[in-house]
Amino acid sequence: MTAIPGSQEIAAARQALIAIDPALQRAHAATPTFEWRTRVGGYEGLFRMIVEQQVSLASAAAIWKRVTEGLDHELTPERVLATDIEALRAMGLSIQKATYGHEIARAHVDGRIDFDHLEQLSDEEATARLVAIKGVGRWTAETFLMFCEGRTDVFPAGDIALQEAIRWADRAMLRPREKDAYLRSELWKPHRSVAAHLLWGWYGAVKRGEVVLEDTAEP
């Protein structure tokens, strides 16, 4: 895992972003100082992201607690592979998520990906290795690299909240498609992860009613 960016690095990146893209100024002005979103890395971190998808926060926490306790707090590829699918299902996982847990573990054990030395790969290569594993989509791979690996130039353009925040920033009528959001984010290199944090922060503040949008086109 690379070093997580500190407050000074994030602040400097925000200034660089609004200098190269004034469209981000409103998001910057409306979003207070934030810390990097961090999560446990390695196999455990990716497995947990898979477990938590498409369920509520409360349900995700409850299921993960059962999984952790069921595995005696040994969240390793070897331990998960040694636990059959039905046993994982008894811990609250769907058959699909239990299978994905095995697939990710097998990829590590087989050497298709090395969670212990993932930082040695470029962002592009790490993403490619991750999405090659059954059950790991591009959004999951990119958010894993950002939150669990501390990578600073990753942008999960398939994220609906980010697409909507880009629409607000550009005062556009329609949300950009994933491909267009990727192209839009090229301008923000090498600070795309900070741009994502900034746009998420802005989006959340608007949705909570803490910030009122002005002069934004309606879709």
Side-chain angles (χ1 to χ4, degrees):
M1 183 174 180
T2 57
I4 297 298
S7 57
Q8 291 185 336
E9 293 173 276
I10 294 173
R14 289 178 64 160
Q15 290 300 321
L17 284 167
I18 60 174
I20 60 178
D21 189 354
L24 294 178
Q25 178 61 51
R26 285 193 303 156
H28 174 68
T31 308
T33 301
F34 54 76
E35 298 296 323
W36 198 265
R37 297 188 189 184
T38 59
R39 296 178 61 119
V40 172
Y43 171 78
E44 178 181 346
L46 185 57
F47 184 28
R48 182 168 185 174
M49 289 184 74
I50 294 295
V51 170
E52 293 178 342
Q53 287 178 2
Q54 299 178 323
V55 296
S56 68
L57 292 175
S59 295
I63 294 170
W64 186 248
K65 182 174 185 292
R66 289 177 63 186
V67 170
T68 300
E69 292 174 348
L71 295 172
D72 298 321
H73 300 273
E74 190 180 345
L75 279 302
T76 65
E78 295 78 11
R79 178 58 188 272
V80 172
L81 280 177
T83 308
D84 63 38
I85 297 296
E86 287 306 313
L88 290 172
R89 291 187 66 189
M91 298 173 197
L93 297 182
S94 66
I95 187 170
Q96 186 178 55
K97 290 184 178 181
T99 300
Y100 291 164
H102 270 206
E103 291 289 341
I104 297 166
R106 191 171 293 111
H108 177 81
V109 171
D110 291 349
R112 284 176 281 142
I113 192 165
D114 182 359
F115 286 105
D116 298 326
H117 302 94
L118 197 60
E119 74 280 355
Q120 296 176 3
L121 300 179
S122 68
D123 296 338
E124 293 76 15
E125 180 62 20
T127 300
R129 295 282 185 91
L130 288 165
V131 299
I133 304 170
K134 183 178 181 180
V136 181
R138 189 172 183 88
W139 180 89
T140 301
E142 290 166 337
T143 52
F144 171 81
L145 292 175
M146 189 188 306
F147 301 149
C148 302
E149 293 288 317
R151 300 206 182 206
T152 58
D153 195 33
V154 180
F155 192 81
D159 190 279
I160 298 299
L162 292 181
Q163 293 173 5
E164 183 70 352
I166 290 173
R167 184 181 77 81
W168 297 343
D170 291 340
R171 294 181 167 85
M173 287 293 294
L174 300 175
R175 283 200 306 260
R177 295 172 299 176
E178 182 174 355
K179 179 181 178 181
D180 296 325
Y182 277 123
L183 290 173
R184 183 73 176 80
S185 73
E186 287 289 308
L187 183 62
W188 304 328
K189 289 182 174 181
H191 307 296
R192 288 182 295 175
S193 297
V194 174
H197 277 75
L198 177 62
L199 292 171
W200 271 322
W202 188 33
Y203 179 87
V206 170
K207 290 301 181 180
R208 292 190 299 270
E210 299 166 3
V211 172
V212 178
L213 288 177
E214 297 178 359
D215 302 322
T216 299
E218 291 296 330

